[in-house]
């Protein structure tokens, strides 16, 4: 029997890292610790060829994270807060040995904490991303209880520092000024570091003011390559005919809402103009990860409908060519130095994410099994759906049947789960979390429709960009077409329909019940009710303004965002609504939920409003996850 405890306490692998020699794969395992605690994590290692069982290197009593290999594959670096909770330091461990728990060496005592780390090719230096250490003034204010925050300086800046392993001294790269460093990648030949930075630690305007730099690791000298696109990430080096290129992912140039693209740059001589090229223009798939390979062109994962494909860049043609395709999700791709061996997280319809490894383009061997207890559960059968939107556009999605039931036994109560983003998707993977609770509902007797409307990933740029300024439009009719199909096929009972979502999915749930009375119950998790307020208060302000279509400071109105906001249609709502929200959510602030709650109360709509203390945009504390799972199922049991 599937219990809420089994779902919440399920261990999950994260952050696989294959050794440069391709022999070993390190990865983290995250699990809840203690009755009501936050998740902790441990570091594991496995033979890439499956010749030896995985071994746990750390005991899991702290947050041990981000394993990365030394260039000689002999040692493993990771961050841990084992010495002071909440403050991560750099640790080093030797993975070879017979003992399950190995002894780690602490390499830093940085009082600001280590955010990330990158071992450099010389084997003597580690690039650190670390916040500033507290100053005497900071300590004085803390001692006096002065916790006033100056907005714009309330978030700590993460700076690039180069740690000399021989001396233990970390020197700061001063040439980047006060810019917030988010990613670092060294050129494979030991040359300069490609550094991605934001103007500020705040998401908005941080992601809209990103720049690329080159940093010489020996001297710390900085060359600015200029601005890069919205949501820039994953810089990688590659070489063609002796010329080094630097590629990265970013939203398709010229857009704030749309599909990610691979953008290529040839670093110029100082003072020359930087030219950038979109290497994925016109593709009907969407890159999700871009991975550097030391001895070859980069690899990339692409969302391809319900599946994930592996591609490699062909340097002469500057185009990506498909190597393989797997059903469901591939994530966390990592390659050996030669690029001949890969490790990745893989999930299919019947298997949660686990670490797999194998040859590039070849069969992948499962190395981990972090949740063997799930093997005894009877799951709902997950089917792939292909159908057309009202205008004939081809769409996909998934149907999970109630556990132990077949289509012929329908119609069933149907809950539609809308994904967040909107630039995201439901892949043909295992759905069992508080947010993606498909199997949790299926084991309770519900059919579950996982919709992939326009605005999501997996179908190219135009498919994703159409929601800009028009949220709730084509998205809603796409979802409705899938529900109508399942009703017509006798799978869904038209008198027992529910709709759920988290974040953008929560917005869509609130939107849906303002457009129709067909739904008998809804769950809005961390959802948006007013796009104008969201643009002015949420972390992603600029993007939210683009999605909603306008802001509150665009004059007295009428505003596009009012037309696109669920709060504008609150007087039409008759559907009982369960509202769930984290009290400290800054992505979608709590006021969004309060706004809808007060409107529903004003119009006498049956609803329940639950606020989770200390939580942000997701739920992390064990007790809160348990409560949400039980409350969601009870809500649908009551109304459906």
């Amino acid at each position: 029997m599937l219990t809420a405890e089994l779902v919440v306490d399920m261990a999950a692998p994260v952050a696989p890292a294959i050794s440069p020699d391709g022999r070993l794969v390190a990865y983290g395992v995250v699990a809840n610790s203690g009755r009501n605690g936050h998740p902790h994590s441990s570091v594991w290692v496995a033979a890439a060829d499956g010749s030896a069982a995985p071994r746990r290197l750390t005991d899991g009593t702290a947050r041990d994270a981000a394993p990365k290999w030394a260039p000689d594959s002999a040692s493993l670096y990771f961050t841990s807060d084992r010495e002071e909770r909440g403050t991560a330091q750099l640790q080093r461990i030797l993975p070879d040995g017979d003992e399950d728990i190995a002894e780690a060496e602490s390499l830093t005592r940085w009082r600001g904490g280590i955010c990330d780390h990158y071992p450099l090719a010389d084997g003597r230096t580690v690039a650190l991303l670390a916040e500033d250490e507290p100053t005497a003034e900071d300590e004085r204010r803390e001692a006096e209880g002065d916790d006033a925050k100056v907005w714009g300086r309330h978030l700590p800046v993460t700076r690039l520092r180069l740690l000399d392993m021989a001396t233990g001294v970390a020197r700061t790269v001063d040439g980047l000024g006060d810019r917030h460093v988010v990613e670092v990648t060294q050129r494979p030949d030991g040359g300069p570091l490609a550094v991605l930075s934001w103007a500020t630690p705040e998401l908005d305007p941080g992601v809209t003011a990103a720049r690329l730099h080159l940093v010489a690791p020996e001297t710390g000298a900085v060359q600015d390559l200029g601005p890069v696109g919205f949501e820039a990430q994953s810089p990688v080096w590659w070489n063609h005919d002796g010329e080094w290129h630097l590629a990265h992912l970013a939203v398709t140039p010229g857009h704030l809402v749309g599909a990610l693209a691979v953008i290529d740059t040839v670093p110029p001589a100082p003072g020359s103009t930087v030219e950038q090229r979109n290497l994925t223009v016109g593709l009907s798939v969407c890159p999700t990860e871009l991975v550097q390979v030391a001895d070859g062109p980069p690899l990339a994962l692409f969302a391809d409908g319900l599946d994930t494909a592996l591609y490699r860049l062909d340097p002469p043609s500057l185009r990506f060519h498909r190597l393989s395709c797997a059903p469901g999700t591939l994530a966390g791709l990592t390659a050996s130095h030669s690029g001949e061996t890969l490790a990745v997280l893989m999930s299919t319809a019947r298997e949660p994410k686990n670490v797999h490894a194998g040859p590039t383009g070849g069969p992948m061997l499962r190395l981990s099994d972090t949740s063997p207890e799930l093997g005894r559960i009877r799951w709902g059968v997950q089917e792939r759906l292909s159908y057309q939107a009202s205008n004939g556009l081809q769409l996909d999605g998934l149907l999970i049947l109630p556990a132990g039931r077949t289509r012929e036994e329908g119609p069933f109560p149907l809950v539609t789960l809308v994904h967040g983003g909107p630039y995201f998707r439901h892949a043909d993977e295992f759905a069992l979390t508080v947010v993606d609770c498909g199997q949790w509902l299926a084991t309770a007797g519900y059919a579950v429709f996982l919709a992939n409307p326009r605005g999501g990933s997996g179908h190219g740029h135009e498919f994703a960009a159409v929601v800009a300024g028009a949220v709730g439009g084509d998205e809603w009719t796409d979802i409705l077409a899938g529900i109508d199909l399942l009703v017509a096929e006798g799978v869904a009972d038209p008198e027992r329909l529910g709709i759920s979502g988290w974040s953008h999915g929560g917005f869509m749930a609130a939107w849906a019940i303002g457009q129709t009375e067909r739904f008998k119950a809804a769950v809005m998790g961390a959802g948006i009710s007013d796009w104008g307020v969201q643009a002015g208060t949420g972390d992603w302000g600029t993007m939210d303004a683009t999605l909603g279509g306008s802001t509150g400071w665009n004059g007295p109105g009428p505003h596009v965002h009012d037309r696109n906001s669920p709060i504008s249609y609150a007087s039409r709502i008759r559907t009982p609504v369960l509202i769930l929200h984290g009290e400290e959510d800054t992505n979608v602030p709590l006021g969004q939920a309060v706004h809808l709650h007060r409107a529903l109360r004003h119009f006498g709509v049956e609803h329940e409003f639950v606020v989770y203390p200390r939580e942000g945009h997701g739920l992390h504390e064990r007790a809160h996850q348990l409560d949400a799972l039980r409350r969601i199922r009870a809500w649908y049991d009551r109304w459906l």
Side-chain angles (χ1 to χ4, degrees):
M1 175 182 176
L2 183 64
T3 64
E5 288 82 1
L6 198 60
V7 177
V8 169
D9 293 335
M10 182 174 63
V14 295
I18 194 166
S19 58
D21 61 12
R23 190 172 60 90
L24 298 173
V25 179
Y27 57 95
V29 173
V30 178
N32 275 306
S33 61
R35 184 175 179 184
N36 292 320
H38 286 79
H40 282 189
S41 53
S42 54
V43 175
W44 291 63
V45 67
D49 61 3
S51 59
R55 290 190 301 118
R56 190 174 70 174
L57 297 180
T58 67
D59 61 14
T61 59
R63 296 184 188 182
D64 299 334
K68 295 180 182 178
W69 292 93
D72 62 1
S73 302
S75 59
L76 189 66
Y77 298 92
F78 65 98
T79 58
S80 176
D81 66 351
R82 60 181 60 191
E83 296 174 11
E84 182 181 349
R85 290 293 185 259
T87 303
Q89 300 296 336
L90 185 66
Q91 309 275 327
R92 180 170 56 187
I93 202 167
L94 300 177
D96 283 322
D98 300 326
E99 297 155 354
D100 280 343
I101 305 298
E103 185 174 349
E105 174 190 7
S106 182
L107 301 176
T108 61
R109 292 289 188 275
W110 193 266
R111 294 166 60 209
I114 307 300
C115 303
D116 208 343
H117 60 105
Y118 304 86
L120 301 190
D122 63 10
R124 304 184 304 273
T125 311
V126 178
L128 303 177
L129 301 190
E131 301 167 1
D132 289 341
E133 295 191 285
T135 64
E137 176 64 13
D138 295 331
E139 293 173 342
R140 181 195 65 77
R141 293 182 60 218
E142 182 179 2
E144 295 176 357
D146 180 0
D147 57 357
K149 295 180 180 179
V150 178
W151 203 259
R153 299 201 297 270
H154 64 294
L155 296 176
V157 172
T158 298
R159 305 185 196 277
L160 174 61
R161 312 178 197 271
L162 302 175
L163 174 67
D164 186 318
M165 299 294 294
T167 64
V169 174
R171 56 188 173 95
T172 301
V173 175
D174 295 323
L176 295 168
D178 286 331
R179 293 190 66 83
H180 178 68
V181 179
V182 291
E183 282 190 81
V184 174
T185 305
Q186 186 175 29
R187 207 168 71 186
D189 64 352
L193 311 179
V195 176
L196 180 64
S197 75
W198 297 350
T200 167
E202 297 173 272
L203 276 170
D204 182 24
V207 294
T208 63
R211 301 180 76 90
L212 266 175
H213 318 265
L214 300 183
V215 174
E218 302 86 1
T219 64
V222 176
Q223 178 185 349
D224 184 14
L225 296 184
V228 286
F230 186 64
E231 288 192 70
Q233 57 193 276
S234 305
V236 301
W237 292 92
W238 62 282
N239 190 296
H240 179 53
D241 289 339
E243 183 177 52
W244 284 104
H245 295 239
L246 184 57
H248 67 277
L249 296 179
V251 174
T252 298
H255 298 265
L256 294 179
V257 171
L260 289 178
V262 178
I263 311 300
D264 185 54
T265 301
V266 178
S272 301
T273 303
V274 177
E275 294 185 9
Q276 297 184 339
R277 293 168 290 191
N278 182 352
L279 303 186
T280 49
V281 63
L283 292 183
S284 60
V285 291
C286 300
T288 59
E289 296 183 16
L290 187 61
V291 176
Q292 181 168 299
V293 176
D295 288 347
L299 297 166
L301 294 178
F302 281 76
D304 185 354
L306 300 172
D307 305 320
T308 307
L310 174 67
Y311 282 67
R312 174 186 278 140
L313 180 67
D314 176 57
S317 66
L318 289 178
R319 296 187 64 84
F320 281 91
H321 293 272
R322 178 183 291 207
L323 300 177
S324 62
C325 189
T329 296
L330 302 178
L333 181 66
T334 174
S336 65
H337 187 89
S338 66
E340 296 178 357
T341 308
L342 306 178
V344 69
L345 297 174
M346 180 185 296
S347 175
T348 63
R350 296 302 299 272
E351 183 184 331
K353 282 182 182 176
N354 269 301
V355 179
H356 290 65
T360 303
M364 305 292 279
L365 175 70
R366 191 181 74 180
L367 303 182
S368 68
D369 185 10
T370 58
S371 301
E373 67 277 8
L374 300 182
R376 66 177 184 269
I377 304 297
R378 190 178 193 183
W379 304 109
V381 173
Q382 184 162 296
E383 298 181 4
R384 300 160 74 99
L385 298 177
S386 179
Y387 62 100
Q388 288 187 339
S390 56
N391 67 348
L393 179 69
Q394 196 66 30
L395 299 169
D396 61 47
L398 297 161
L399 169 67
I400 308 176
L401 291 169
R405 309 294 291 275
T406 65
R407 272 179 171 255
E408 290 69 28
E409 296 175 81
F412 307 106
L414 177 79
V415 176
T416 296
L417 292 184
V418 187
H419 62 68
Y423 188 66
F424 197 62
R425 63 172 178 152
H426 287 299
D428 192 10
E429 63 180 341
F430 190 70
L432 188 63
T433 68
V434 174
V435 174
D436 294 320
C437 59
Q439 287 289 356
W440 171 245
L441 293 173
T443 56
Y446 296 93
V448 181
F449 172 41
L450 306 177
N452 281 327
R454 271 170 279 195
S457 63
H459 297 283
H461 169 67
E462 297 302 327
F463 184 90
V466 71
V467 297
V471 284
D474 290 330
E475 292 174 279
W476 165 233
T477 56
D478 289 352
I479 292 168
L480 204 56
I483 295 171
D484 289 341
L485 171 70
L486 295 174
V487 169
E489 292 181 345
V491 174
D493 182 345
E495 299 303 316
R496 293 188 293 167
L497 299 177
I499 188 165
S500 271
W502 201 273
S503 191
H504 192 82
F507 152 71
M508 283 305 305
W511 175 264
I513 58 178
Q515 308 302 309
T516 179
E517 295 183 27
R518 291 178 65 180
F519 296 104
K520 299 302 185 288
V523 177
M524 175 190 179
I528 296 161
S529 62
D530 187 323
W531 283 101
V533 175
Q534 176 66 15
T537 61
D539 285 340
W540 294 86
T542 302
M543 186 189 73
D544 288 334
T546 304
L547 287 169
S550 60
T551 69
W553 52 80
N554 290 141
H559 293 119
V560 174
H561 69 252
D562 290 325
R563 188 175 68 231
N564 294 334
S565 295
I567 201 68
S568 299
Y569 308 93
S571 63
R572 302 179 184 177
I573 295 176
R574 301 293 181 269
T575 303
V577 189
L578 172 62
I579 304 172
L580 308 176
H581 217 106
E583 188 172 35
E584 297 180 11
D585 192 347
T586 58
N587 188 319
V588 178
L590 178 61
Q592 293 287 333
V594 173
H595 200 172
L596 185 63
H597 154 66
R598 289 185 174 175
L600 296 177
R601 186 174 61 186
H602 175 79
F603 291 112
V605 179
E606 183 85 34
H607 71 289
E608 188 173 283
F609 179 26
V610 183
V611 178
Y612 294 101
R614 299 174 301 281
E615 298 285 14
H617 197 50
L619 301 182
H620 298 284
E621 293 187 24
R622 184 176 186 272
H624 294 160
Q625 295 180 48
L626 290 171
D627 179 84
L629 283 171
R630 292 167 179 154
R631 201 176 291 275
I632 290 168
R633 186 185 276 183
W635 190 254
Y636 286 126
D637 287 348
R638 176 182 176 186
W639 298 106
L640 302 190

